[in-house]
Amino acid sequence: MIDLTTLTIAIARKKLDAKEFSAVDLASIYLGEIKKKNKELNVYLEIYDDVLEQAKIADEKIARGESTPLLGIPLAIKDVILIQGRKVSAASKILENYLASYNATVIDKLAKQGAVFLGRTNTDEFAMGGSTENSAYGVTKNPHDPGRVAGGSSGGSVAAVTANLALGALGSDTGGSVRLPASFCGIVGVKPTYGRVSRHGLIAMGSSLDCIGPIAKTVTDAEIIFNAVKGHDILDSTSIVDTTYSKVTIKKVIGVPWDLINGEGVDSKVQENFTQSVKKLEILGFKVKDISFKNLDIALAIYYIIMPAEASTNLSRFDGMRYGLHKDGKNLLEDYLKTRGIGFGKEVRRRILLGTYALSAGYYDAYYGKAQMIRNMLKKEFALAFKNVDLIITPTVPSVAWKIGEKSNPLSAYLADIFTITANIVGVPAISLPSGNVLIEGKKLPLGIQFMAPHGREDFLFEIGKKFEAL
Ligand code: GLN
């Protein structure tokens, strides 16, 4: 019997290589679990019909002794990452039944290792949101409390790993979409340094912010996936070379922006839990220091200018002519209006309007230009802060997972991103780790802590992450 609840990628690797079970056995068990739970949780939008064939090929490689860290490991892939010949919809009606014409670089890398792709997972439409409530295909439920959201936008991938419907997963993170659901579900989510993992084959949202990130049950597993997908890629012009690390020495000091954490809108349970985590870090021998940033409180405002501006530009390619849905009007303009009006959901249309406005003549300097200026200032402030601290920590999200339908006002959902967006604005790597639970209405709901590290220093995150999770 394979116990999925305690199984990790690292353990599965050993057992697969020792022939304690086969990749086909493992994949079959996951398929069985998916069959049992997917209807209720709405994690997968599609389960691939060749999972067992993929696993069989992995078994042949294992038999030949060609082991790699992810050979035969069943993974879930967010529905914004292209796998050649398979459907990819960004959870949108405009791309319903669209077939990817090439592989994302991350998929090529995982396939080369012999990972087994189970299926594509639910997300907010075009990754716009923090709950999957903006998916055109229904909300993904939180495995800890099905009355609540799993978080988003990578909610399907995170819920899959949490509910043992995959051993690991890939998500994408433009403003927190890997870390926020990881916090809501009590698992590990990593947003790498901008450019560290190729964006080639990721359906673009905000191109200067988008990152593909690993989702797993443990830090070691997240590191295994990260190592498999990272690396320079000539197909992504913003990809960085592996050796461009910040030259920083370990100081054993952690910075905490207490102003922001003790500020308005942060749940007192989150603040309490965070204070406990800080104490644990002190036990680990870290000096914890109060730090403040002049521009941190407006990071959220500039994110909601830059991201829609870039998204509105990126989404202009969905015009009904080149990809997916096409609706006929009386003329070309009507074709566009009809296709985009029907194909895009409410939140996507809201952001296209917002972004187009921020980029329009007469407003560009006042909005987009100013937001970019503050972004640069914040980047400098972070670079300066990392001269004195190894890591900057915050809670991952200012609340526990919300109830489905609770945040019908979009602004209240945007506020949930207050701690996560900065890492994307600045481009630094960040991780969300489980930091305990709170009991609410009889349900144990997870909370998360976020660590941010200097540019290129994912190794700091993995090192401290392993120590923190062992406490
Ligand atoms: N919740 C944020 C937003 O709605 C982040 C989304 C993301 O990271 N893809 O934009």
Side-chain angles (χ1 to χ4, degrees):
M1 249 323 260
I2 307 176
D3 178 9
L4 295 188
T5 55
T6 54
L7 195 67
T8 63
I9 294 176
I11 296 173
R13 168 81 283 114
K14 286 198 190 118
K15 299 204 173 201
L16 283 166
D17 290 344
K19 317 263 183 349
E20 278 183 40
F21 52 74
S22 69
V24 168
D25 295 337
L26 192 59
S28 309
I29 291 182
Y30 276 102
L31 287 175
E33 287 299 298
I34 292 169
K35 214 167 173 192
K36 265 193 258 163
K37 296 193 211 153
N38 194 49
K39 226 182 166 148
E40 151 87 357
L41 294 174
N42 196 29
V43 162
Y44 285 96
L45 296 179
E46 180 185 356
I47 297 124
Y48 299 138
D49 55 13
D50 63 345
V51 171
L52 292 178
E53 282 94 271
Q54 292 180 57
K56 202 165 160 253
I57 294 171
D59 279 332
E60 285 160 13
K61 287 189 181 160
I62 293 169
R64 293 198 298 268
E66 295 170 17
S67 184
T68 58
L70 290 171
L71 181 57
I73 302 294
L75 300 178
I77 305 294
K78 183 176 180 179
D79 188 28
V80 286
I81 298 173
L82 272 52
I83 308 183
Q84 189 173 13
R86 298 192 195 268
K87 282 186 197 167
V88 61
S89 80
S92 179
K93 289 281 173 205
I94 212 158
L95 283 178
E96 196 170 18
N97 300 322
Y98 174 73
L99 296 177
S101 50
Y102 61 93
N103 268 347
T105 298
V106 290
I107 294 298
D108 273 339
K109 288 184 178 236
L110 293 176
K112 208 169 152 206
Q113 286 219 6
V116 172
F117 302 119
L118 292 168
R120 62 185 166 99
T121 53
N122 199 17
T123 162
D124 287 285
E125 186 178 2
F126 285 100
M128 296 182 188
S131 65
T132 71
E133 286 169 295
N134 299 329
S135 165
Y137 305 101
V139 63
T140 297
K141 297 187 180 139
N142 192 312
H144 298 277
D145 177 356
R148 291 178 188 264
V149 300
S153 59
S154 314
S157 282
V158 170
V161 176
T162 309
N164 297 312
L165 307 185
L167 200 40
L170 283 184
S172 66
D173 189 312
T174 303
S177 276
V178 163
R179 291 161 287 157
L180 182 145
S183 173
F184 281 5
C185 292
I187 60 167
V188 179
V190 180
K191 182 211 96 71
T193 305
Y194 180 76
R196 196 82 202 272
V197 175
S198 171
R199 288 183 296 113
H200 175 69
L202 166 70
I203 295 181
M205 179 183 173
S207 302
S208 76
L209 305 157
D210 294 343
C211 293
I212 292 176
I215 292 159
K217 286 196 251 180
T218 65
V219 176
T220 300
D221 282 5
E223 190 178 12
I224 292 171
I225 301 175
F226 172 73
N227 284 335
V229 294
K230 70 171 185 187
H232 181 249
D233 181 13
I234 49 162
L235 298 172
D236 172 0
S237 62
T238 55
S239 168
I240 53 170
V241 281
D242 264 356
T243 46
T244 326
Y245 291 133
S246 299
K247 305 270 182 298
V248 284
T249 45
I250 308 256
K251 296 162 273 288
K252 280 235 138 195
V253 183
I254 289 176
V256 184
W258 282 113
D259 276 1
L260 193 71
I261 294 156
N262 291 330
E264 229 182 291
V266 184
D267 195 316
S268 61
K269 289 195 173 72
V270 170
Q271 289 167 335
E272 268 164 45
N273 174 272
F274 181 74
T275 308
Q276 282 164 14
S277 298
V278 169
K279 286 194 187 125
K280 285 186 191 165
L281 291 165
E282 284 171 337
I283 295 169
L284 284 177
F286 284 92
K287 206 171 151 239
V288 179
K289 190 175 143 177
D290 186 8
I291 46 167
S292 61
F293 298 93
K294 249 168 87 194
N295 296 296
L296 199 57
D297 54 340
I298 46 173
L300 190 73
I302 65 165
Y303 170 80
Y304 276 98
I305 296 287
I306 295 171
M307 173 274 302
E310 294 182 2
S312 69
T313 313
N314 277 323
L315 267 55
S316 66
R317 60 168 68 86
F318 301 107
D319 56 6
M321 302 294 146
R322 287 172 286 184
Y323 309 93
L325 188 76
H326 171 83
K327 290 280 167 200
D328 267 329
K330 281 198 237 51
N331 52 39
L332 184 63
L333 184 64
E334 252 192 30
D335 282 9
Y336 290 158
L337 295 176
K338 263 196 163 169
T339 306
R340 288 167 69 85
I342 292 167
F344 288 138
K346 212 170 166 186
E347 182 60 27
V348 174
R349 278 181 279 145
R350 181 181 293 118
R351 295 194 192 198
I352 292 174
L353 287 172
L354 208 69
T356 311
Y357 181 81
L359 290 176
S360 60
Y363 295 101
Y364 183 96
D365 289 338
Y367 292 105
Y368 190 72
K370 228 179 222 161
Q372 289 292 16
M373 263 166 59
I374 296 166
R375 179 180 199 175
N376 286 333
M377 282 155 74
L378 203 55
K379 275 187 188 171
K380 283 189 192 140
E381 279 193 80
F382 261 67
L384 211 64
F386 279 127
K387 287 199 161 78
N388 301 312
V389 300
D390 303 317
L391 299 149
I392 296 169
I393 58 167
T394 66
T396 309
V397 196
S399 71
V400 292
W402 58 80
K403 285 187 180 155
I404 293 169
E406 190 182 330
K407 300 224 177 200
S408 49
N409 172 357
L411 209 59
S412 68
Y414 297 171
L415 288 170
D417 304 330
I418 182 154
F419 295 126
T420 45
I421 36 95
T422 315
N424 302 76
I425 298 263
V426 174
V428 297
I431 192 169
S432 178
L433 302 175
S435 63
N437 304 287
V438 283
L439 198 65
I440 297 178
E441 295 167 7
K443 300 262 164 52
K444 259 172 114 184
L445 301 178
L447 288 170
I449 180 171
Q450 171 180 239
F451 292 80
M452 289 180 267
H455 212 77
R457 297 319 299 251
E458 284 82 359
D459 56 333
F460 283 16
L461 302 178
F462 297 134
E463 196 186 316
I464 195 160
K466 285 174 203 165
K467 288 185 183 148
F468 186 84
E469 91 187 334
L471 274 178

